[in-house]
Amino acid sequence: MKELFLMELIGKKFNFVSKNKLKELEQLSQVQGTDQNNDSYIKTVLKRFFKDKVATVSLIIFLLIVLAAVLAPIIAPYSPSKSVGYFEAAPSGKFLLGTDDVGRDVLSRLIYGSQASLTVGILSVLIYAAIGTTLGLLSGFLGGFWDSVIMRITDVFMSFPYFIVILVVVSLIGPGLWTVTFAIGFLNWPVLCRLVRGEVMKLRKVDYVQAAVASGYNTFQITFKHIFPNTLGIILVNMTFGIATSIITEASLSFLGAGVQPPTPSWGNLMSDAQSINVLANEYWQWLPPGIMILLAVLSINFVGDGLRRAVEGK
């Protein structure tokens, strides 16, 4: 009887230990699964993105445009500022896109023009993304007085017509590449600020944020370490569309003579010659190529942004 009792007791003990061990293993596997999901989130988003054929092709086109801008000194056949042929010569074997009104190669100026247009588009977006993201994070998390102040400043910026204000600022300071870049960057942040604020107001009620608050983390740590990574999706999507908007804005300003100034080429000031009826009607090679490049760049960026938005949202 004693032996049977001891065997039964030992069996129960072993069962108890095994059950506890099983629970620990299950908890460990759940934690490891969570870490694996966090680590693979970017891979999941990329897989969703590259399943979108339109977005993938658009990304390739945009990267080719960027590559052409970077390699402009190597791939451009002539100097963009030197007269190398007859004035207003039509496209030929020597000049694939013809020459402009002072004999400069249009193809070379088109390639170099991508540098100015992309510089304005990318740098201005980086500036307004830094401003809009920071203010949106602080406004959404702090709330109260600071939220009211930041939102009223945002309302003031959004109450003025965007393009007219940039045109006035550029006219007062003086046209140029960097003037246009900083003007667009410092005036285009309110929309992103509101988007980030709305996202933060949802995230600050989540359990892990409340746990961070209860653990004694300061505002900076909670905002930029715990909340900011979860707003990157909406920020990146907005930035892609912002690059397209900035390229169009720069082209419009340069077309009006208030943007990048000659002899520095940009897609906008290459099209400024189209203001002449003679050029518009008879010399298509001067304005059609830059127009096509603006169209390709803007459409490709918009399709990339749309694909990125669907990938982040899981659609």
Side-chain angles (χ1 to χ4, degrees):
M1 293 293 293
K2 289 182 179 180
E3 293 176 357
L4 292 174
F5 176 76
L6 288 172
M7 290 178 64
E8 184 179 1
L9 182 61
I10 292 171
K12 289 181 178 179
K13 185 178 180 181
F14 284 156
N15 287 335
F16 178 74
V17 172
S18 63
K19 288 179 180 178
N20 283 345
K21 190 67 176 178
L22 181 60
K23 288 181 180 179
E24 291 178 4
L25 291 173
E26 287 176 352
Q27 291 175 355
L28 182 61
S29 65
Q30 289 175 358
V31 172
Q32 290 176 345
T34 302
D35 293 338
Q36 187 177 2
N37 288 336
N38 290 333
D39 293 339
S40 64
Y41 175 72
I42 296 177
K43 293 181 181 179
T44 303
V45 171
L46 290 176
K47 285 181 180 178
R48 292 172 185 166
F49 177 83
F50 286 113
K51 285 182 180 178
D52 189 336
K53 294 182 180 179
V54 175
T56 303
V57 172
S58 298
L59 178 62
I60 294 172
I61 292 173
F62 180 68
L63 290 177
L64 288 175
I65 295 173
V66 173
L67 185 64
V70 173
L71 300 178
I74 299 175
I75 63 177
Y78 302 99
S79 169
S81 57
K82 292 182 179 180
S83 179
V84 292
Y86 294 110
F87 295 174
E88 300 175 344
S92 61
K94 186 178 181 180
F95 304 108
L96 297 180
L97 296 179
T99 62
D100 62 8
D101 54 350
V102 293
R104 295 172 297 193
D105 180 50
V106 173
L107 176 60
S108 300
R109 289 180 61 77
L110 185 70
I111 295 172
Y112 274 93
S114 61
Q115 292 182 334
S117 298
L118 293 177
T119 297
V120 173
I122 295 173
L123 289 185
S124 62
V125 165
L126 291 177
I127 293 171
Y128 89 65
I131 298 172
T133 300
T134 303
L135 293 179
L137 288 170
L138 295 176
S139 176
F141 185 75
L142 296 177
F145 171 77
W146 292 108
D147 182 40
S148 298
V149 171
I150 294 173
M151 285 301 99
R152 296 298 76 76
I153 295 173
T154 303
D155 291 339
V156 170
F157 274 83
M158 295 185 71
S159 64
F160 296 106
Y162 166 72
F163 185 79
I164 300 299
V165 173
I166 291 180
L167 187 60
V168 171
V169 170
V170 171
S171 300
L172 291 175
I173 299 176
L177 175 66
W178 299 112
T179 303
V180 173
T181 301
F182 286 108
I184 296 174
F186 282 114
L187 294 174
N188 206 26
W189 57 266
V191 174
L192 180 59
C193 178
R194 283 186 172 275
L195 289 173
V196 173
R197 171 182 175 266
E199 193 70 14
V200 172
M201 292 181 74
K202 293 188 296 184
L203 290 172
R204 70 180 183 181
K205 299 178 182 178
V206 178
D207 293 339
Y208 67 84
V209 176
Q210 296 298 320
V213 174
S215 300
Y217 287 95
N218 58 44
T219 301
F220 180 85
Q221 289 175 318
I222 296 172
T223 303
F224 291 94
K225 184 177 180 180
H226 297 282
I227 295 180
F228 171 68
N230 292 283
T231 63
L232 277 176
I234 193 171
I235 293 171
L236 290 175
V237 171
N238 181 269
M239 287 176 67
T240 55
F241 291 119
I243 293 174
T245 303
S246 297
I247 289 175
I248 293 176
T249 303
E250 180 277 324
S252 302
L253 290 170
S254 297
F255 180 80
L256 296 174
V260 180
Q261 297 298 295
T264 302
S266 77
W267 293 336
N269 63 29
L270 285 175
M271 292 187 65
S272 63
D273 290 335
Q275 297 179 72
S276 168
I277 299 299
N278 179 59
V279 172
L280 185 63
N282 302 316
E283 299 173 10
Y284 63 89
W285 60 87
Q286 290 200 46
W287 57 268
L288 187 59
I292 292 174
M293 290 306 301
I294 293 173
L295 180 65
L296 279 177
V298 171
L299 283 180
S300 63
I301 295 170
N302 280 334
F303 283 131
V304 168
D306 202 32
L308 184 60
R309 176 182 58 80
R310 287 196 294 267
V312 170
E313 293 176 355
K315 295 182 178 180

